[in-house]
Coordinates of all heavy atoms in Angstrom, one line a residue:
T1 N -13.9 -1.4 -2.6 CA -13.7 -1.5 -1.2 C -14.5 -0.4 -0.5 O -14.5 0.7 -0.8 CB -12.2 -1.2 -0.9 OG1 -11.4 -2.1 -1.6 CG2 -11.9 -1.4 0.6
S2 N -15.2 -0.8 0.6 CA -16.0 0.1 1.4 C -15.1 0.6 2.6 O -14.1 0.0 2.9 CB -17.3 -0.5 1.8 OG -18.1 0.4 2.4
M3 N -15.6 1.6 3.3 CA -14.9 2.1 4.5 C -15.7 1.7 5.7 O -16.9 1.5 5.7 CB -14.7 3.6 4.4 CG -16.0 4.4 4.3 SD -15.7 6.1 4.4 CE -15.9 6.4 6.1
P4 N -15.0 1.7 6.9 CA -15.8 1.5 8.1 C -16.7 2.7 8.4 O -16.5 3.8 8.0 CB -14.7 1.4 9.2 CG -13.5 2.0 8.6 CD -13.6 1.9 7.1
S5 N -17.7 2.4 9.2 CA -18.7 3.4 9.5 C -18.1 4.4 10.5 O -17.4 4.0 11.5 CB -19.9 2.8 10.1 OG -20.8 3.8 10.5
L6 N -18.4 5.7 10.3 CA -18.0 6.7 11.3 C -19.3 7.4 11.8 O -19.2 8.5 12.3 CB -17.1 7.8 10.6 CG -15.8 7.2 10.0 CD1 -15.1 8.3 9.2 CD2 -14.9 6.7 11.1
S7 N -20.4 6.8 11.6 CA -21.7 7.4 12.0 C -21.8 7.7 13.5 O -21.2 7.0 14.3 CB -22.9 6.4 11.6 OG -23.0 6.4 10.2
N8 N -22.7 8.6 13.8 CA -23.1 9.0 15.2 C -21.9 9.4 16.0 O -21.8 9.1 17.2 CB -23.8 7.8 15.8 CG -25.1 7.4 15.1 OD1 -25.9 8.3 14.8 ND2 -25.2 6.2 14.7
N9 N -21.0 10.1 15.4 CA -19.8 10.6 16.1 C -19.9 12.2 16.2 O -19.7 12.9 15.3 CB -18.5 10.3 15.3 CG -17.3 10.7 16.0 OD1 -17.3 11.6 16.8 ND2 -16.2 10.1 15.6
P10 N -20.2 12.6 17.4 CA -20.5 14.1 17.7 C -19.2 14.9 17.6 O -19.3 16.1 17.6 CB -21.1 14.1 19.0 CG -20.6 12.9 19.7 CD -20.5 11.9 18.7
L11 N -18.0 14.3 17.6 CA -16.8 15.0 17.7 C -16.1 15.2 16.3 O -15.2 16.0 16.1 CB -15.8 14.3 18.6 CG -16.3 14.2 20.1 CD1 -15.3 13.4 20.9 CD2 -16.6 15.5 20.7
L12 N -16.5 14.4 15.3 CA -15.9 14.4 14.0 C -16.2 15.7 13.3 O -17.3 16.1 13.1 CB -16.5 13.2 13.2 CG -15.9 12.8 11.9 CD1 -14.5 12.3 12.2 CD2 -16.7 11.8 11.2
K13 N -15.1 16.4 12.8 CA -15.2 17.7 12.2 C -14.8 17.6 10.7 O -15.3 18.4 9.9 CB -14.4 18.7 12.9 CG -15.0 19.1 14.2 CD -14.4 20.4 14.7 CE -15.0 20.8 16.0 NZ -16.2 21.6 15.8
K14 N -13.8 16.8 10.3 CA -13.3 16.7 9.0 C -13.0 15.3 8.6 O -12.4 14.6 9.4 CB -12.1 17.6 8.9 CG -11.5 17.7 7.5 CD -10.3 18.7 7.5 CE -9.8 18.9 6.1 NZ -8.7 19.9 6.1
V15 N -13.3 14.9 7.4 CA -13.0 13.6 6.9 C -12.4 13.7 5.5 O -12.9 14.4 4.6 CB -14.3 12.7 6.8 CG1 -14.0 11.4 6.1 CG2 -14.9 12.5 8.2
I16 N -11.3 13.0 5.3 CA -10.7 12.9 4.0 C -10.6 11.4 3.7 O -9.9 10.7 4.4 CB -9.3 13.6 3.9 CG1 -9.4 15.1 4.2 CG2 -8.6 13.3 2.6 CD1 -8.0 15.8 4.4
I17 N -11.2 11.0 2.6 CA -11.2 9.6 2.2 C -10.4 9.5 1.0 O -10.7 10.0 -0.1 CB -12.6 9.1 1.9 CG1 -13.5 9.2 3.2 CG2 -12.6 7.6 1.5 CD1 -14.9 9.0 3.0
G18 N -9.2 8.9 1.1 CA -8.3 8.8 0.0 C -8.6 7.7 -1.0 O -9.6 7.0 -0.9
D19 N -7.7 7.6 -2.0 CA -7.9 6.6 -3.0 C -7.8 5.2 -2.5 O -7.1 5.0 -1.5 CB -6.8 6.8 -4.1 CG -7.1 8.1 -4.9 OD1 -8.2 8.6 -4.9 OD2 -6.1 8.6 -5.5
G20 N -8.5 4.3 -3.1 CA -8.5 2.9 -2.6 C -9.9 2.6 -2.1 O -10.3 1.4 -2.2
V21 N -10.6 3.5 -1.6 CA -12.0 3.3 -1.2 C -12.9 3.6 -2.4 O -12.8 4.7 -3.0 CB -12.4 4.2 0.0 CG1 -13.9 4.0 0.3 CG2 -11.6 3.9 1.2
T22 N -13.7 2.6 -2.8 CA -14.6 2.8 -4.0 C -16.0 3.1 -3.7 O -16.8 3.5 -4.5 CB -14.5 1.6 -4.9 OG1 -14.9 0.4 -4.1 CG2 -13.1 1.4 -5.4
D23 N -16.4 2.8 -2.4 CA -17.8 2.8 -2.1 C -18.0 3.5 -0.7 O -17.5 2.9 0.3 CB -18.4 1.4 -2.1 CG -19.9 1.3 -1.7 OD1 -20.5 2.4 -1.6 OD2 -20.3 0.2 -1.5
L24 N -18.7 4.6 -0.6 CA -19.0 5.2 0.7 C -20.4 4.6 1.0 O -21.4 5.0 0.5 CB -19.1 6.7 0.5 CG -19.4 7.4 1.8 CD1 -18.3 7.3 2.8 CD2 -19.6 8.9 1.5
G25 N -20.4 3.5 1.7 CA -21.6 2.6 1.9 C -22.7 3.2 2.7 O -22.6 4.4 3.2
F26 N -23.7 2.4 3.0 CA -24.9 2.7 3.7 C -24.6 3.4 5.0 O -24.0 2.9 5.9 CB -25.6 1.4 3.9 CG -26.9 1.4 4.7 CD1 -28.0 2.0 4.1 CD2 -27.0 0.9 5.9 CE1 -29.2 2.0 4.8 CE2 -28.1 0.9 6.6 CZ -29.3 1.4 6.1
K27 N -25.1 4.7 5.2 CA -25.1 5.4 6.4 C -23.7 5.6 7.0 O -23.5 5.6 8.3 CB -26.0 4.8 7.5 CG -27.5 4.8 7.0 CD -28.4 4.3 8.1 CE -29.8 4.4 7.7 NZ -30.7 4.0 8.8
K28 N -22.6 5.6 6.2 CA -21.2 5.7 6.7 C -20.9 6.9 7.6 O -20.1 6.8 8.4 CB -20.2 5.5 5.6 CG -20.3 4.1 4.9 CD -19.9 3.0 5.9 CE -19.8 1.7 5.2 NZ -19.3 0.6 6.0
L29 N -21.5 8.0 7.3 CA -21.2 9.3 8.0 C -22.5 9.9 8.5 O -22.5 11.1 8.9 CB -20.5 10.3 7.1 CG -19.0 9.9 6.7 CD1 -18.5 10.7 5.6 CD2 -18.1 10.0 7.9
E30 N -23.5 9.1 8.7 CA -24.8 9.6 9.1 C -24.7 10.2 10.6 O -24.0 9.6 11.4 CB -25.9 8.5 9.0 CG -27.2 9.0 9.4 CD -28.2 7.8 9.4 OE1 -27.9 6.7 10.0 OE2 -29.3 8.0 8.9
N31 N -25.5 11.2 10.8 CA -25.6 11.8 12.2 C -24.3 12.1 12.9 O -24.0 11.8 14.0 CB -26.4 10.8 13.1 CG -27.9 10.7 12.6 OD1 -28.5 11.7 12.2 ND2 -28.4 9.5 12.7
C32 N -23.5 12.9 12.2 CA -22.3 13.4 12.7 C -22.5 15.0 12.8 O -22.1 15.7 11.8 CB -21.0 13.1 11.9 SG -20.7 11.3 11.8
P33 N -23.1 15.5 13.8 CA -23.6 16.8 13.8 C -22.5 17.9 13.8 O -22.8 19.0 13.4 CB -24.4 16.9 15.2 CG -23.8 15.8 16.0 CD -23.4 14.7 15.0
S34 N -21.3 17.6 14.1 CA -20.2 18.6 14.0 C -19.4 18.5 12.7 O -18.5 19.4 12.5 CB -19.3 18.4 15.2 OG -20.0 18.6 16.4
L35 N -19.7 17.6 11.9 CA -18.9 17.4 10.7 C -19.1 18.6 9.7 O -20.2 19.0 9.4 CB -19.4 16.1 9.9 CG -18.6 15.7 8.7 CD1 -17.1 15.5 9.0 CD2 -19.2 14.5 8.0
E36 N -18.0 19.2 9.4 CA -18.0 20.4 8.5 C -17.5 20.3 7.1 O -17.8 21.0 6.2 CB -17.2 21.6 9.2 CG -17.8 22.0 10.6 CD -17.0 23.1 11.3 OE1 -15.9 23.4 10.8 OE2 -17.5 23.6 12.3
S37 N -16.5 19.3 7.0 CA -15.9 19.2 5.7 C -15.6 17.7 5.3 O -15.1 16.9 6.2 CB -14.5 19.9 5.7 OG -13.8 19.7 4.6
V38 N -15.9 17.3 4.1 CA -15.6 16.0 3.6 C -15.0 16.1 2.2 O -15.5 16.8 1.4 CB -16.9 15.1 3.5 CG1 -16.6 13.8 2.9 CG2 -17.5 15.0 4.9
T39 N -13.9 15.3 2.0 CA -13.2 15.2 0.7 C -13.3 13.8 0.4 O -12.8 12.9 1.1 CB -11.8 15.7 0.8 OG1 -11.8 17.1 1.2 CG2 -11.1 15.6 -0.6
L40 N -13.8 13.4 -0.8 CA -13.9 12.1 -1.3 C -12.9 11.9 -2.4 O -12.8 12.6 -3.3 CB -15.3 11.7 -1.8 CG -16.4 11.9 -0.8 CD1 -17.8 11.5 -1.4 CD2 -16.2 11.0 0.4
G41 N -12.1 10.8 -2.3 CA -11.0 10.5 -3.3 C -11.6 10.1 -4.6 O -12.8 9.8 -4.8
A42 N -10.7 10.2 -5.6 CA -11.1 9.9 -7.0 C -11.5 8.5 -7.3 O -12.2 8.2 -8.3 CB -9.9 10.3 -7.9
S43 N -11.2 7.6 -6.4 CA -11.6 6.2 -6.6 C -13.1 5.9 -6.2 O -13.6 4.8 -6.5 CB -10.7 5.2 -5.9 OG -10.7 5.5 -4.5
I44 N -13.7 6.8 -5.5 CA -15.1 6.6 -5.0 C -16.1 6.7 -6.2 O -16.1 7.7 -6.9 CB -15.5 7.5 -3.9 CG1 -14.7 7.2 -2.7 CG2 -17.0 7.5 -3.7 CD1 -15.2 7.7 -1.4
T45 N -16.9 5.7 -6.4 CA -17.9 5.6 -7.5 C -19.3 5.6 -7.0 O -20.2 5.9 -7.7 CB -17.7 4.4 -8.4 OG1 -17.8 3.2 -7.6 CG2 -16.3 4.5 -9.1
A46 N -19.5 5.4 -5.7 CA -20.8 5.3 -5.1 C -20.9 5.9 -3.7 O -20.0 5.7 -2.9 CB -21.3 3.8 -5.1
I47 N -22.0 6.6 -3.5 CA -22.4 7.1 -2.2 C -23.6 6.4 -1.8 O -24.7 6.5 -2.4 CB -22.6 8.6 -2.3 CG1 -21.3 9.3 -2.7 CG2 -23.1 9.2 -0.9 CD1 -21.4 10.8 -2.9
G48 N -23.5 5.7 -0.7 CA -24.7 4.9 -0.2 C -25.8 5.7 0.4 O -25.7 6.9 0.7
L49 N -26.9 5.0 0.6 CA -28.1 5.5 1.2 C -27.8 6.2 2.5 O -27.1 5.7 3.4 CB -29.1 4.3 1.5 CG -30.4 4.6 2.2 CD1 -31.4 5.2 1.2 CD2 -30.9 3.3 2.8
S50 N -28.3 7.4 2.7 CA -28.3 8.2 3.9 C -26.8 8.5 4.4 O -26.6 8.7 5.6 CB -29.1 7.6 5.0 OG -30.4 7.5 4.7
S51 N -25.9 8.5 3.5 CA -24.5 8.6 3.9 C -24.2 9.9 4.7 O -23.4 9.8 5.6 CB -23.6 8.6 2.6 OG -23.5 7.3 2.1
F52 N -24.8 11.0 4.4 CA -24.5 12.3 5.1 C -25.7 12.8 5.8 O -25.7 13.9 6.3 CB -24.0 13.3 4.1 CG -22.7 12.9 3.4 CD1 -22.8 12.5 2.0 CD2 -21.5 13.0 4.0 CE1 -21.7 12.2 1.4 CE2 -20.4 12.6 3.3 CZ -20.4 12.2 2.0
A53 N -26.8 12.1 5.9 CA -28.0 12.5 6.5 C -27.8 12.9 8.0 O -27.1 12.2 8.7 CB -29.1 11.4 6.4
G54 N -28.3 14.0 8.4 CA -28.1 14.4 9.8 C -26.8 15.1 10.1 O -26.5 15.4 11.2
C55 N -26.0 15.4 9.1 CA -24.8 16.1 9.3 C -25.0 17.6 9.0 O -24.5 18.2 8.1 CB -23.7 15.6 8.3 SG -23.3 13.9 8.6
Q56 N -25.8 18.2 9.9 CA -26.3 19.6 9.7 C -25.2 20.6 9.6 O -25.5 21.7 9.1 CB -27.4 19.9 10.7 CG -27.0 19.9 12.1 CD -27.2 18.6 12.8 OE1 -27.3 17.5 12.2 NE2 -27.4 18.6 14.1
S57 N -24.0 20.4 10.1 CA -23.0 21.4 10.1 C -22.1 21.3 8.8 O -21.2 22.1 8.6 CB -22.0 21.2 11.3 OG -22.8 21.5 12.5
L58 N -22.4 20.3 7.9 CA -21.6 20.1 6.7 C -21.7 21.4 5.8 O -22.7 21.7 5.4 CB -22.0 18.9 6.0 CG -21.1 18.4 4.9 CD1 -19.7 18.1 5.4 CD2 -21.7 17.2 4.2
K59 N -20.5 22.0 5.6 CA -20.4 23.2 4.7 C -19.6 23.0 3.5 O -19.8 23.7 2.5 CB -19.8 24.3 5.5 CG -20.5 24.8 6.7 CD -19.7 25.8 7.5 CE -20.4 26.0 8.8 NZ -19.5 26.8 9.7
E60 N -18.8 22.0 3.5 CA -17.9 21.7 2.3 C -17.9 20.2 2.0 O -17.6 19.4 2.9 CB -16.5 22.2 2.6 CG -15.5 21.9 1.5 CD -14.1 22.4 1.8 OE1 -13.6 22.1 2.9 OE2 -13.5 23.1 1.0
L61 N -18.2 19.9 0.8 CA -18.2 18.5 0.3 C -17.5 18.5 -1.1 O -18.0 19.1 -2.0 CB -19.6 18.0 0.2 CG -19.8 16.5 -0.3 CD1 -19.0 15.5 0.6 CD2 -21.2 16.2 -0.4
I62 N -16.3 17.9 -1.1 CA -15.5 17.8 -2.3 C -15.7 16.4 -2.9 O -15.3 15.5 -2.3 CB -14.0 18.2 -2.1 CG1 -13.9 19.6 -1.5 CG2 -13.2 18.0 -3.3 CD1 -12.6 20.0 -1.0
L63 N -16.3 16.4 -4.1 CA -16.5 15.1 -4.8 C -15.7 15.1 -6.1 O -15.4 16.1 -6.7 CB -18.0 15.1 -5.2 CG -19.0 15.3 -4.1 CD1 -20.4 15.4 -4.7 CD2 -19.0 14.1 -3.1
S64 N -15.5 13.9 -6.6 CA -14.8 13.7 -7.9 C -15.9 13.4 -8.9 O -17.1 13.1 -8.6 CB -13.8 12.6 -7.8 OG -14.5 11.4 -7.8
D65 N -15.5 13.5 -10.2 CA -16.4 13.2 -11.3 C -16.6 11.7 -11.6 O -17.2 11.3 -12.5 CB -16.0 13.9 -12.5 CG -14.6 13.6 -13.0 OD1 -14.0 12.8 -12.4 OD2 -14.2 14.2 -14.0
T66 N -16.0 10.9 -10.7 CA -16.1 9.4 -10.9 C -17.3 8.8 -10.2 O -17.6 7.6 -10.4 CB -14.8 8.7 -10.3 OG1 -14.7 9.0 -8.9 CG2 -13.6 9.1 -11.0
I67 N -18.1 9.6 -9.5 CA -19.3 9.1 -8.8 C -20.4 8.9 -9.8 O -20.8 9.8 -10.5 CB -19.7 10.1 -7.6 CG1 -18.6 10.1 -6.6 CG2 -21.0 9.6 -7.0 CD1 -18.8 11.2 -5.5
T68 N -20.9 7.7 -9.8 CA -22.0 7.3 -10.8 C -23.3 6.9 -10.0 O -24.3 6.8 -10.7 CB -21.5 6.2 -11.7 OG1 -21.1 5.0 -10.9 CG2 -20.3 6.6 -12.5
D69 N -23.2 6.7 -8.7 CA -24.4 6.3 -8.0 C -24.5 7.0 -6.7 O -23.5 7.0 -5.9 CB -24.3 4.8 -7.8 CG -25.6 4.2 -7.1 OD1 -26.7 4.7 -7.3 OD2 -25.4 3.2 -6.4
I70 N -25.6 7.7 -6.4 CA -25.9 8.3 -5.1 C -27.2 7.8 -4.6 O -28.2 7.9 -5.2 CB -25.9 9.9 -5.3 CG1 -24.6 10.4 -5.8 CG2 -26.3 10.5 -4.0 CD1 -24.6 11.9 -6.2
G71 N -27.1 7.2 -3.4 CA -28.2 6.6 -2.7 C -29.3 7.7 -2.2 O -28.9 8.8 -2.0
A72 N -30.5 7.2 -2.1 CA -31.6 8.1 -1.6 C -31.2 8.7 -0.2 O -30.5 8.0 0.6 CB -32.9 7.3 -1.5
Y73 N -31.7 9.9 0.0 CA -31.5 10.5 1.3 C -30.1 10.8 1.7 O -29.8 11.1 2.9 CB -32.2 9.8 2.5 CG -33.6 9.4 2.1 CD1 -34.0 8.1 1.9 CD2 -34.6 10.4 2.0 CE1 -35.3 7.7 1.6 CE2 -35.9 10.0 1.7 CZ -36.2 8.7 1.4 OH -37.5 8.4 1.1
S74 N -29.1 10.7 0.8 CA -27.7 10.9 1.1 C -27.4 12.2 1.7 O -26.5 12.4 2.4 CB -26.9 10.6 -0.1 OG -26.9 9.2 -0.5
F75 N -28.2 13.2 1.2 CA -27.9 14.6 1.7 C -29.1 15.2 2.4 O -29.2 16.4 2.5 CB -27.5 15.5 0.4 CG -26.4 14.9 -0.4 CD1 -26.6 14.2 -1.6 CD2 -25.1 15.0 0.1 CE1 -25.6 13.7 -2.3 CE2 -24.0 14.5 -0.6 CZ -24.3 13.8 -1.8
D76 N -29.8 14.4 3.1 CA -31.0 14.8 3.8 C -30.6 15.6 5.0 O -29.8 15.2 5.8 CB -31.8 13.5 4.3 CG -33.2 13.8 4.6 OD1 -33.8 14.7 3.9 OD2 -33.8 13.1 5.4
G77 N -31.2 16.8 5.1 CA -31.0 17.7 6.3 C -29.8 18.5 6.2 O -29.3 19.0 7.2
L78 N -29.2 18.7 5.0 CA -28.0 19.5 4.9 C -28.3 20.9 4.4 O -28.0 21.3 3.3 CB -27.0 18.8 3.9 CG -26.1 17.7 4.5 CD1 -26.9 16.6 5.0 CD2 -25.1 17.3 3.5
E79 N -28.8 21.7 5.3 CA -29.2 23.1 4.9 C -28.0 24.0 4.7 O -28.1 25.0 4.0 CB -30.1 23.7 6.0 CG -31.5 23.2 6.1 CD -31.5 21.9 7.0 OE1 -30.7 21.8 7.9 OE2 -32.4 21.1 6.8
N80 N -26.8 23.7 5.3 CA -25.6 24.6 5.2 C -24.8 24.3 4.0 O -23.9 25.1 3.7 CB -24.7 24.4 6.4 CG -25.4 25.0 7.7 OD1 -26.0 26.0 7.6 ND2 -25.2 24.3 8.8
L81 N -25.1 23.2 3.3 CA -24.3 22.9 2.1 C -25.0 23.5 0.9 O -26.1 23.3 0.5 CB -24.3 21.4 1.9 CG -23.4 20.8 0.9 CD1 -21.9 21.1 1.3 CD2 -23.5 19.3 0.8
C82 N -24.2 24.4 0.2 CA -24.8 25.2 -0.9 C -24.1 24.7 -2.2 O -23.0 24.3 -2.3 CB -24.5 26.6 -0.8 SG -25.3 27.4 0.6

């Protein structure tokens, strides 16, 4: 199951994606400049192309060990994420 797109939202600061979502699809959180924290549930196995590209404020990304596929450019432009 994929999730609806939250892309291009300048007000979004935190996202928690619970169990039940298996695919963070193509550009789902792209260009959310205020996004600081994302937690992905244990059921997610794939992160789509450019999913977090342009989220330059992202400082915290909590992933599970169930992710087996990460699309190109998913973390493009994330200088604050260490």
